[in-house]
């Protein structure tokens, strides 16, 4: 595995692999690797000749009062895990390499970025995500890019980005990886103390309660959401949002008649956590 810092060096490595006829897979990350990241990397490894993992804590997707400076960073550990997982290129640029002096472009995707996390974190969040992902696609030009279903809205945004801008990349959504007690793995779980860590398991239980409601025939949004809210309330959690939306375009869903995205965000202890489940009709 090579650790690469510059756009030029990534391009050279990708061109070299392409000249050998290899398929290129990209896994964008902000580091602090856990099994969720590694599952994406393994899938990319299984489907690609060259696996590029980007490690970049993207400042433009953080708000002024968010955790940019506190975000967990440990490049040495990440590099060791990436090497063990068979990554070929770890692209870990400095902020100035991605956003050089005079950088002035923002990609804004309207209609799907104002809701859910966009409503809570503000419009800059998905502008930052779309802009950095577009740059990574332009830098690496991968055949496929791997994202976690954990960030369900991010996948909707990235799919719209590549569709609207005709970017020739296959977007692969990978399943949510969870701890043994159901908590979705997240780099931000390190912010949880013992009490908050126990409380956080209510998110997955709430999603399961909603799933059970649908399985029992209570498919209207009010019943589904009530089942989930009850589970959160039992653990003292008031969510930032708990909503049922279309997994394709995030339009509100009134009745689970086809697969529907149940998405939740909540502050638990010092962490802001998100989770979701696709509810099957
Ligand atoms: P991050 O470093 O948090 O930006 O995440 C990088 C990628 O890993 C994103 O595509 C996430 O959706 C994905 N990811 C994060 N946590 C998980 C998880 N628990 N299961 C699956 N994918 C995940």
């Amino acid at each position: 595995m090579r650790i690469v810092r510059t756009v030029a060096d990534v391009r050279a490595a990708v061109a070299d692999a392409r000249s050998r006829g290899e398929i290129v897979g990209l896994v964008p990350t902000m580091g602090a690797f856990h099994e969720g990241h590694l599952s994406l990397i393994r899938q990319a490894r299984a489907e690609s000749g060259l696996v590029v993992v980007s490690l970049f804590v993207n400042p433009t997707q953080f708000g002024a009062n968010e955790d940019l400076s506190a975000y967990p960073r440990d490049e040495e550990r990440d590099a060791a895990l990436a090497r063990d997982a068979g990554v070929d290129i770890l692209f870990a640029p400095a902020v100035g390499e991605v956003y050089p002096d005079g950088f002035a472009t923002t990609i804004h995707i309207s209609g799907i970025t104002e809701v859910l996390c966009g409503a809570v974190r503000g419009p800059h969040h998905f502008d930052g995500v779309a802009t950095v992902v577009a740059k990574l696609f332009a830098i690496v030009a991968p055949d496929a890019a791997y994202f976690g279903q954990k960030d369900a809205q991010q996948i909707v945004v990235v799919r719209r980005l590549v569709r609207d801008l005709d970017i020739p990349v296959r977007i692969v959504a990978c399943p949510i990886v969870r701890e043994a007690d159901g908590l979705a793995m997240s780099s931000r779980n390190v912010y949880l103390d013992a009490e908050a860590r126990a409380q956080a398991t209510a998110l997955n239980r709430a999603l399961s309660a909603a799933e059970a409601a649908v399985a029992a025939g209570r498919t209207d949004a009010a019943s589904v959401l009530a089942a989930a809210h009850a589970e959160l309330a039992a653990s003292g959690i008031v969510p930032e949002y708990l909503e049922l939306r279309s997994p394709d375009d995030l339009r509100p869903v009134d009745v689970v008649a086809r697969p529907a995205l149940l998405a939740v965000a909540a502050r638990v202890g010092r962490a802001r956590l998100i989770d979701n489940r696709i509810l099957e009709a």
Side-chain angles (χ1 to χ4, degrees):
M1 186 184 82
R2 279 178 59 207
I3 299 177
V4 165
R5 306 281 175 196
T6 67
V7 171
D9 284 349
V10 178
R11 287 217 168 106
V14 170
D16 187 49
R18 287 238 178 266
S19 72
R20 296 192 302 270
E22 282 173 357
I23 297 284
V24 178
L26 170 68
V27 182
T29 83
M30 299 204 300
F33 291 163
H34 50 67
E35 273 300 313
H37 298 106
L38 297 177
S39 72
L40 270 50
I41 291 171
R42 286 189 205 107
Q43 183 146 356
R45 180 71 282 166
E47 298 177 356
S48 324
L50 184 83
V51 174
V52 181
V53 172
S54 60
L55 194 179
F56 182 62
V57 182
N58 176 35
T60 65
Q61 70 190 67
F62 286 78
N65 300 317
E66 294 186 346
D67 58 343
L68 175 61
S69 58
Y71 197 83
R73 291 168 169 87
D74 189 344
E75 186 185 302
E76 216 172 296
R77 176 178 172 276
D78 288 344
L81 289 168
R83 187 173 290 112
D84 287 350
V87 171
D88 298 301
I89 303 290
L90 186 67
F91 177 40
V95 173
E97 180 72 7
V98 179
Y99 300 113
D101 280 350
F103 187 89
T105 300
T106 297
I107 294 183
H108 177 73
I109 303 173
S110 46
I112 54 175
T113 60
E114 300 85 351
V115 299
L116 302 177
C117 282
V120 177
R121 302 186 68 175
H124 69 272
H125 173 62
F126 285 111
D127 290 357
V129 170
T131 303
V132 80
V133 169
K135 282 189 61 103
L136 289 169
F137 288 171
I139 293 165
V140 179
D143 295 283
Y146 299 79
F147 294 86
Q149 181 61 31
K150 159 94 180 342
D151 296 86
Q153 186 171 16
Q154 175 167 276
I155 290 194
V156 176
V157 167
V158 170
R159 286 195 195 282
R160 187 67 61 88
L161 171 76
V162 305
R163 191 186 84 182
D164 286 357
L165 297 186
D166 301 300
I167 301 175
V169 57
R170 184 168 64 93
I171 303 303
V172 181
C174 302
I176 301 175
V177 178
R178 298 180 179 281
E179 303 285 357
D181 62 6
L183 177 66
M185 290 192 184
S186 165
S187 304
R188 291 188 166 99
N189 290 352
V190 298
Y191 300 150
L192 299 168
D193 62 20
E195 190 187 340
R197 174 66 186 76
Q199 199 185 13
T201 59
L203 268 63
N204 179 54
R205 282 200 305 280
L207 300 173
S208 297
E211 201 168 50
V214 172
R218 299 195 300 278
T219 56
D220 62 292
S223 300
V224 172
L225 296 176
H229 269 297
E231 200 61 57
L232 294 175
S235 292
I237 293 176
V238 180
E240 284 181 341
Y241 64 73
L242 174 70
E243 294 184 35
L244 203 49
R245 290 182 175 269
S246 158
D248 303 320
D249 57 15
L250 302 182
R251 268 197 272 245
V253 165
D254 296 328
V255 178
V256 181
R258 56 187 66 77
L261 172 71
L262 179 62
V264 63
R267 292 197 167 275
V268 180
R270 287 171 50 236
R272 178 178 184 276
L273 303 180
I274 59 172
D275 201 349
N276 70 85
R277 186 81 51 88
I278 301 290
L279 303 180
E280 305 286 343

